[in-house]
Amino acid sequence: MEPVDTPMAALQSLGIEDPHQAFQRLTQLAGRGVTDDDLERLYPILFRALHESPDPNRSLLAFCRWFEATGNPIAYLNLLSAHPVALEIFCIVTGSSQVFADLLVRQPECFELIADPGQRGERRPVATLTREIRNLVEACRYPELKREALRRWKAREMLRIGVRDLAGIASLAETARAFSDLADACLQAALDIAYTTLPKLAQPPPSFAIIAMGKLGGRELNYSSDIDLMFVHADDLPETLLLEDGTSINALAWLNRLAETLIKILAEEGAHGHVFRVDMRLRPEGRFGPLVRSLSAYRFYYENWAEPWELQALIKARFVAGNRALGEEFHRLITPFVYNPFPPPELIASIVENKRRIERKCALERQTESNIKVGYGGIRDIEFIVQRLQLLHGGKLPSLRTSNTLQALQRLHQAGVLSKETHRDLAEDYVFLRTLEHRLQLLHGHQTQTLPPPHSPERLRLARRMGFDSSDAFETELAQRRSRVHTYLQNLFYGEMPLSSPPATAGADLAILLDTIDSPTSHDQLIQLLQGHGFHHPEKLIPLLQMPMRGNEYGGMPPDTPIEFKNIAARLLEMAARAPNPDAALFGFEALAIAVPNRAQLYAACDDSPQMLDKLLRLAGGSPPLFQRLVRHQEWLESLINPEEESRDWWAPLLKLQGYSAQIEALATNLERQWLEIGARDIWGEVDVLEVQHRLTQLAEQTIQILLELCAQELLTRNSADTRQVLAPLAVFGLGKLGGQELGYASDWDVIFLYDESFLHDTARSQTLQQAIELFEEAIAHLATHNLPIALDLRLRPWGKDGTLVTSPKALYHYHKTSGEIWEKQALLKARFVAGNAKQGAYATQVLQAISYPNPFPKNYTDAMRTMKHRIETERLEPHLRTSDLKLGHGGLLDIEWLAQWLQMQHGRRNPSLRCPNTVQTLGHLADAHLLDNAEADVLIATYLQLARARNALWLYTGRSQDRLPEDKISVCALARLLGYVDDQEGSQALNDIRSAMKEARRIFESRFYAD
């Protein structure tokens, strides 16, 4: 804005509708300690700020109203003079939203959300929000005061989120997530309030869970979204509940009252508006169905009555409040209905027809051009594209099972379903259209997706709210984006989905370069081409392209080899470029081509099956060590790419082999194959981190069991003794990750061997047993020589490495009563029977739980655990690795495990559900026991799985155990891609997300573990 001589001239240059009236309003701000000179000092700052507003008239009026409402105007004036950026943000916010302008007038102190860089710059996690609103609500004595406190707090938080959005601090995805986190916190608070308003029960309330649907389920709420909900109760609901006054009430009627009260708390208007409008129409039978249903009732409905669109809607289902175990059970229930490995054609056909009905209805209402949600090239078009692809592929690819649209687009690209360009276009268009939807809604807080009429003043103001200087530029970009979305809808939703492959011209150009690959010009152009694809060392890759075309000094290639190679070359480069390490992908593929009997046949097979080529390159670029196993065992290729149903007793043939050495060798080969299959499925997104943990744990248990059998056979051969009878009372317990059923690729197998007390006094038995365990250790060590990541750890037995290999449950109990350290008792929380004698295992489990769950919980346990944890952090964790060590770092795996175990040891004796060795399950049980908030459990579980997945990814990529985040760019980029950040070229977003998650987990850990 150019300098002007007078305030009146400045107002006129800003386009103020009535500059004389506006100037008069400004002069009336004098008084209450504000002089005319003070106003003269304010004017230049104010006019510059108004110039940044999308609607200077609205902002000027809002400023005058707000300034008049402040209790200490001179203090605010001095603040604005010292920090003019705050006034600029004020004008942007109030010029964009009348709702926020009115809020600032009602609560002038909310200006701190604009003026304070800490408040407007901070992302507030849902766990923090939940804790804050719970404290506010609990401080109020009466239910109505609790409700009004919730409404007031929600309005303030909406402003804070809006400030971050409009000031350009938060992205669209971050803003939508912030609104959804706010709604999650409000739902939990409203549920807590609802419980206090109902008749008091003389027993624990029945299990009740809230399931979010729609945009809340997808964590993508708007400024003025309804929240779509469903309510579920457990199948074991009693017929009646006992009240504190001694009377009874029908249990289902009580739950219905709870649901109705919850809806009223959220939707009822108060002095500070409402919390959220609630829409229950997505429940079975819509508005005619009961508010609350049992799990079995939901299952029956979805099995027999659900329309295809209802199954599609379940993509967005997400547990948000109430009983976590029940919510997770609901999610397990609906998954097979949504994600079918072989979705019926009629399901897809029905969804396509439903989309056409929406379009016809939009046309009848003459909203095709004006509605940016359901109209031409609108938000719904992108959502239908994404959800159709999720339904088609999500049954086989668990990574696609996400409720968030942008995340689904990213994962579809990672899985090779969408090309890089398609993913980029749809993601950018979705962000643009959703931002436009936000700008429409935040003006008056109405739930609208309708554009103002063309060429109207409000259309221009909308363009300015979108950041455009002119309406023409806005209209041009809007038209281009809607046209592109509509084209993708026609191709990806209504038409045949094109392959994610380069255009034919690219293949033709590359073929010419390959034909003339010996030419210096072609060589240079290939280098440029490889650089453009993102390969790290193009010079080193040129020989890989020369080999299939020319051969090497030892001989040329058959005539069909160059022909077949050129057929796949363009796709080969494109797919390799998408691999975690593009260079490693090409090197690995060439190693396989060298190893196979016929190169041309490999190339032809990849030409016939682009999916096969893509899988091979992702495996080679994601885990060079695993791919080398495939190169050594090409006979596994067909079953790896096209797996048949796995045999549950794959180890049975081993017992029939002749000779102990042959059996161990065969076991090692089978384990190599199993590890390769698990790792490949992991890289391809066909199993998630929980499934990886389950499969690795199951593999370990099967291996331990079969080794016991093989060792017994071998000792029987050596000693001619009835070794099986000697080993019969033996029970093997897993601890650590093995006990918790959460093994990673690099996890040790922590075990202890427990035996019947009476048999240990038999010298002959003891000697045979000792021989068996030593032979077992030798076998494990031999397996490890095959580059299998197996290491047996027996140091958690009494007296560690100095103790006997086998002990009895009674001796173990005596040891911990007299000598055991507290950390050893803590370690036994993870103890779980994994092999051997089940009867002995059941008895030993009771003994182990008696050790780990003392009653009462001694206070010195807390002091000892805190001291030990502090020692770990100061002695084993280097300060510069606090945010980079996935295990020991602040907010790392150890923080989460120790918090869970500390709470288990305190409360496990009284609450049997907490006697669980699995960390993720334990965190859920702790939330259900109200020892953690659901929001805290969400953060801790998500962080735990994120870090476990990152550790697994590092092992896959390097072939060795690694807890530290990498620093070199190539490894960081590979890690990011293995974690699903396909287009994160530098890997910075992946590292930032990991560190952000660890930071919030650490905050929860410190607030709980170190709280007095």
Side-chain angles (χ1 to χ4, degrees):
M1 178 181 175
E2 296 298 325
V4 291
D5 295 331
T6 65
M8 185 65 69
L11 293 170
Q12 289 173 336
S13 70
L14 287 167
I16 300 298
E17 293 173 355
D18 189 340
H20 293 283
Q21 184 180 17
F23 181 64
Q24 185 178 11
R25 184 74 183 263
L26 283 172
T27 59
Q28 291 173 354
L29 297 180
R32 297 188 299 160
V34 176
T35 66
D36 291 339
D37 290 339
D38 292 328
L39 291 180
E40 288 293 333
R41 181 162 50 98
L42 171 68
Y43 290 152
I45 302 170
L46 176 60
F47 296 151
R48 280 195 297 271
L50 289 171
H51 187 263
E52 302 300 320
S53 170
D55 188 344
N57 284 284
R58 194 182 302 276
S59 294
L60 180 58
L61 178 59
F63 174 79
C64 292
R65 294 174 61 213
W66 168 78
F67 197 80
E68 290 166 352
T70 59
N72 189 355
I74 189 62
Y76 280 105
L77 191 146
N78 291 332
L79 174 64
L80 295 175
S81 298
H83 303 285
V85 172
L87 187 53
E88 290 181 10
I89 297 175
F90 177 95
C91 290
I92 291 172
V93 169
T94 56
S96 301
S97 174
Q98 187 62 47
V99 174
F100 289 157
D102 293 341
L103 174 61
L104 284 161
V105 172
R106 288 197 309 272
Q107 301 181 49
E109 69 279 5
C110 283
F111 184 74
E112 67 176 328
L113 299 175
I114 294 173
D116 184 351
Q119 296 219 41
R120 68 172 184 256
E122 181 186 26
R123 186 190 72 84
R124 306 189 70 202
V126 64
T128 301
L129 297 174
T130 301
R131 188 163 52 247
E132 182 176 291
I133 186 54
R134 183 185 64 235
N135 292 338
L136 281 173
V137 167
E138 288 179 352
C140 300
R141 181 174 180 181
Y142 300 107
E144 185 49 48
L145 294 179
K146 294 177 183 288
R147 298 182 187 191
E148 199 56 41
L150 177 59
R151 297 184 193 111
R152 182 184 179 93
W153 178 80
K154 183 259 182 178
R156 179 184 172 90
E157 281 300 305
M158 287 287 288
L159 174 61
R160 184 186 62 80
I161 297 168
V163 168
R164 285 172 49 79
D165 173 25
L166 294 166
I169 298 169
S171 66
L172 179 278
E174 291 170 330
T175 300
R177 176 62 186 262
F179 285 140
S180 303
D181 287 349
L182 174 60
D184 286 2
C186 288
L187 269 167
Q188 186 61 59
L191 181 60
D192 293 341
I193 296 171
Y195 276 122
T196 66
T197 62
L198 294 184
K200 299 296 186 294
L201 297 176
Q203 62 187 90
S207 297
F208 175 82
I210 303 174
I211 309 299
M213 303 286 286
K215 282 189 162 41
L216 177 57
R219 290 190 169 101
E220 45 198 15
L221 277 188
N222 297 327
Y223 277 90
S224 190
S225 293
D226 292 347
I227 55 174
D228 298 287
L229 303 177
M230 296 198 300
F231 303 130
V232 58
H233 70 78
D235 286 333
D236 59 356
L237 183 70
E239 185 174 346
T240 60
L241 300 173
L242 182 65
L243 301 178
E244 283 187 347
D245 62 7
T247 62
S248 296
I249 186 173
N250 180 272
L252 189 56
W254 190 89
L255 282 176
N256 272 293
R257 286 183 63 181
L258 177 67
E260 291 167 354
T261 304
L262 172 69
I263 294 171
K264 184 178 180 181
I265 291 170
L266 291 168
E268 193 173 47
E269 291 287 335
H272 297 278
H274 60 268
V275 183
F276 283 100
R277 295 182 299 270
V278 178
D279 190 340
M280 300 295 300
R281 289 175 296 174
L282 289 180
R283 71 186 190 271
E285 300 176 84
R287 59 193 179 93
F288 299 107
L291 276 180
V292 189
R293 284 179 183 255
S294 68
L295 279 171
S296 296
Y298 276 106
R299 179 182 293 106
F300 181 82
Y301 181 83
Y302 291 129
E303 282 177 345
N304 298 285
W305 298 104
E307 298 285 342
W309 69 265
E310 292 178 283
L311 301 181
Q312 179 186 358
L314 288 175
I315 290 175
K316 297 288 189 181
R318 178 174 66 89
F319 164 75
V320 289
N323 185 276
R324 173 176 292 274
L326 179 60
E328 291 172 348
E329 181 62 26
F330 177 84
H331 197 268
R332 285 191 292 271
L333 181 155
I334 65 171
T335 297
F337 295 111
V338 182
Y339 296 109
N340 187 333
F342 305 98
E346 56 270 21
L347 171 68
I348 304 302
S350 177
I351 289 170
V352 169
E353 179 54 33
N354 184 41
K355 180 67 172 72
R356 293 194 186 279
R357 281 196 297 269
I358 293 172
E359 291 173 359
R360 288 194 292 268
K361 181 175 183 292
C362 185
L364 284 172
E365 295 173 352
R366 299 186 178 183
Q367 291 191 337
T368 300
E369 294 297 328
S370 61
N371 193 304
I372 52 108
K373 181 178 181 180
V374 297
Y376 174 86
I379 295 167
R380 272 283 188 267
D381 287 3
I382 300 175
E383 292 174 340
F384 266 85
I385 291 171
V386 170
Q387 289 168 21
R388 183 194 183 199
L389 296 177
Q390 286 181 283
L391 292 171
L392 281 172
H393 302 283
K396 296 179 180 178
L397 297 174
S399 64
L400 301 183
R401 300 172 192 174
T402 174
S403 59
N404 183 272
T405 303
L406 285 174
Q407 193 174 68
L409 280 168
Q410 183 187 50
R411 294 182 182 184
L412 286 164
H413 171 36
Q414 182 191 17
V417 178
L418 293 178
S419 69
K420 179 179 181 179
E421 293 73 19
T422 303
H423 163 238
R424 182 197 61 215
D425 290 347
L426 288 174
E428 289 178 355
D429 294 343
Y430 183 76
V431 168
F432 179 88
L433 292 169
R434 286 295 311 279
T435 302
L436 180 57
E437 183 183 37
H438 279 191
R439 298 299 176 262
L440 285 168
Q441 293 185 355
L442 62 77
L443 181 59
H444 294 295
H446 298 156
Q447 190 178 20
T448 180
Q449 291 86 24
T450 303
L451 294 168
H455 311 299
S456 65
E458 187 50 48
R459 188 89 162 202
L460 173 60
R461 286 191 282 268
L462 175 63
R464 286 175 59 85
R465 293 202 298 275
M466 286 291 292
F468 291 88
D469 293 330
S470 69
S471 58
D472 288 344
F474 167 69
E475 299 296 342
T476 299
E477 180 154 349
L478 175 61
Q480 289 174 345
R481 292 190 180 277
R482 296 181 77 171
S483 175
R484 185 165 67 182
V485 169
H486 181 73
T487 300
Y488 278 124
L489 180 76
Q490 296 302 315
N491 292 335
L492 296 175
F493 186 78
Y494 288 126
E496 290 296 322
M497 288 176 289
L499 290 173
S500 173
S501 59
T505 54
D509 292 342
L510 179 58
I512 294 172
L513 293 177
L514 292 173
D515 281 332
T516 57
I517 196 166
D518 296 331
S519 159
T521 301
S522 295
H523 180 280
D524 292 341
Q525 290 184 13
L526 281 171
I527 293 288
Q528 294 176 7
L529 179 66
L530 291 169
Q531 287 174 335
H533 274 74
F535 289 92
H536 304 300
H537 303 292
E539 281 283 359
K540 296 180 180 179
L541 300 177
I542 294 297
L544 306 185
L545 302 179
Q546 289 175 325
M547 176 68 79
M549 298 301 299
R550 297 287 187 268
N552 56 23
E553 64 269 25
Y554 301 107
M557 287 291 156
D560 59 341
T561 300
I563 295 172
E564 295 292 353
F565 181 72
K566 285 188 291 185
N567 290 338
I568 68 166
R571 187 177 293 129
L572 174 71
L573 294 187
E574 186 215 19
M575 290 180 172
R578 209 169 57 223
N581 184 329
D583 295 46
L586 285 188
F587 275 111
F589 188 72
E590 174 60 19
L592 181 62
I594 292 172
V596 298
N598 189 313
R599 276 179 179 267
Q601 287 183 0
L602 173 65
Y603 298 153
C606 290
D607 191 21
D608 291 338
S609 175
Q611 183 186 44
M612 171 182 170
L613 177 61
D614 184 48
K615 284 188 171 184
L616 288 174
L617 291 169
R618 287 163 63 192
L619 179 59
S623 183
L626 279 185
F627 198 80
Q628 285 304 310
R629 292 185 181 176
L630 179 61
V631 171
R632 291 195 301 269
H633 294 279
Q634 303 147 45
E635 68 275 14
W636 297 344
L637 179 58
E638 176 60 31
S639 63
L640 183 66
I641 300 298
N642 301 302
E644 298 178 357
E645 186 174 350
E646 297 178 10
S647 173
R648 294 187 178 182
D649 57 349
W650 57 269
W651 64 89
L654 301 176
L655 299 175
K656 300 176 183 179
L657 292 175
Q658 295 298 315
Y660 176 70
S661 297
Q663 291 172 330
I664 296 298
E665 284 297 311
L667 176 60
T669 301
N670 270 285
L671 285 175
E672 276 194 272
R673 183 172 184 171
Q674 295 285 328
W675 235 282
L676 171 62
E677 289 187 357
I678 295 171
R681 307 265 177 267
D682 190 357
I683 290 171
W684 297 337
E686 295 176 5
V687 291
D688 59 18
V689 64
L690 287 173
E691 182 65 15
V692 169
Q693 291 178 345
H694 170 74
R695 292 191 180 201
L696 290 174
T697 301
Q698 187 179 53
L699 186 61
E701 293 171 1
Q702 292 169 344
T703 302
I704 291 170
Q705 185 65 53
I706 189 62
L707 280 177
L708 291 177
E709 295 284 337
L710 294 179
C711 291
Q713 281 187 2
E714 176 64 8
L715 284 178
L716 180 62
T717 302
R718 294 181 185 181
N719 302 336
S720 300
D722 193 354
T723 308
R724 281 196 182 85
Q725 195 172 28
V726 174
L727 293 181
L730 181 68
V732 184
F733 274 76
L735 293 99
K737 300 294 186 189
L738 175 59
Q741 295 179 286
E742 49 203 12
L743 280 181
Y745 295 109
S747 301
D748 291 346
W749 293 1
D750 296 293
V751 298
I752 54 174
F753 296 101
L754 297 178
Y755 203 70
D756 190 299
E757 176 94 26
S758 60
F759 293 122
L760 283 177
H761 300 302
D762 185 316
T763 304
R765 278 179 174 271
S766 294
Q767 290 176 347
T768 303
L769 184 61
Q770 188 79 10
Q771 289 176 345
I773 301 304
E774 289 173 353
L775 190 60
F776 181 90
E777 285 189 278
E778 291 174 9
I780 290 286
H782 182 78
L783 293 177
T785 63
H786 286 252
N787 292 320
L788 290 168
I790 297 174
L792 197 68
D793 193 337
L794 298 172
R795 290 174 298 173
L796 290 177
R797 67 186 187 270
W799 308 114
K801 63 180 180 179
D802 297 322
T804 58
L805 289 175
V806 185
T807 189
S808 70
K810 289 182 180 178
L812 187 65
Y813 185 81
H814 177 73
Y815 168 80
H816 281 281
K817 279 294 183 183
T818 58
S819 307
E821 300 285 345
I822 293 173
W823 68 265
E824 293 179 281
K825 297 177 176 62
Q826 180 185 351
L828 292 181
L829 291 167
K830 308 288 282 185
R832 181 179 60 86
F833 171 73
V834 296
N837 187 290
K839 184 177 179 181
Q840 180 73 359
Y843 166 67
T845 297
Q846 294 179 342
V847 174
L848 293 169
Q849 289 188 353
I851 295 170
S852 296
Y853 299 104
N855 188 24
F857 179 74
K859 185 181 185 305
N860 69 306
Y861 275 32
T862 292
D863 295 336
M865 290 181 71
R866 287 175 176 171
T867 300
M868 176 63 72
K869 185 66 170 66
H870 181 71
R871 282 185 59 192
I872 292 172
E873 292 183 9
T874 54
E875 296 177 11
R876 292 175 55 192
L877 175 64
E878 299 176 48
H880 70 283
L881 295 176
R882 287 173 180 168
T883 62
S884 301
D885 192 307
L886 302 174
K887 182 178 179 181
L888 302 180
H890 287 188
L893 293 166
L894 211 63
D895 277 5
I896 300 170
E897 290 169 345
W898 275 60
L899 174 58
Q901 291 163 15
W902 175 61
L903 292 171
Q904 279 181 286
M905 293 185 80
Q906 287 185 73
H907 305 282
R909 176 60 62 181
R910 297 189 302 274
N911 189 334
S913 71
L914 300 181
R915 301 174 203 165
C916 172
N918 182 273
T919 303
V920 169
Q921 293 176 10
T922 295
L923 291 168
H925 294 320
L926 288 167
D928 285 338
H930 304 293
L931 297 170
L932 290 174
D933 293 333
N934 270 318
E936 291 175 323
D938 278 338
V939 170
L940 295 175
I941 290 172
T943 304
Y944 189 84
L945 295 178
Q946 184 180 22
L947 300 184
R949 190 177 174 211
R951 289 183 85 203
N952 281 348
L954 290 171
W955 183 88
L956 287 169
Y957 183 63
T958 64
R960 61 181 185 272
S961 177
Q962 188 171 332
D963 291 328
R964 299 178 182 180
L965 290 173
E967 296 180 355
D968 66 284
K969 291 183 179 179
I970 295 177
S971 297
V972 170
C973 182
L975 173 63
R977 292 189 174 190
L978 282 167
L979 296 178
Y981 296 80
V982 195
D983 296 323
D984 185 9
Q985 298 298 332
E986 302 296 325
S988 56
Q989 186 60 53
L991 296 188
N992 288 341
D993 287 351
I994 289 172
R995 288 180 170 130
S996 176
M998 290 176 65
K999 181 179 179 181
E1000 178 57 15
R1002 179 68 179 189
R1003 188 181 303 170
I1004 295 170
F1005 171 78
E1006 289 180 342
S1007 69
R1008 292 286 188 174
F1009 188 76
Y1010 290 120
D1012 293 326

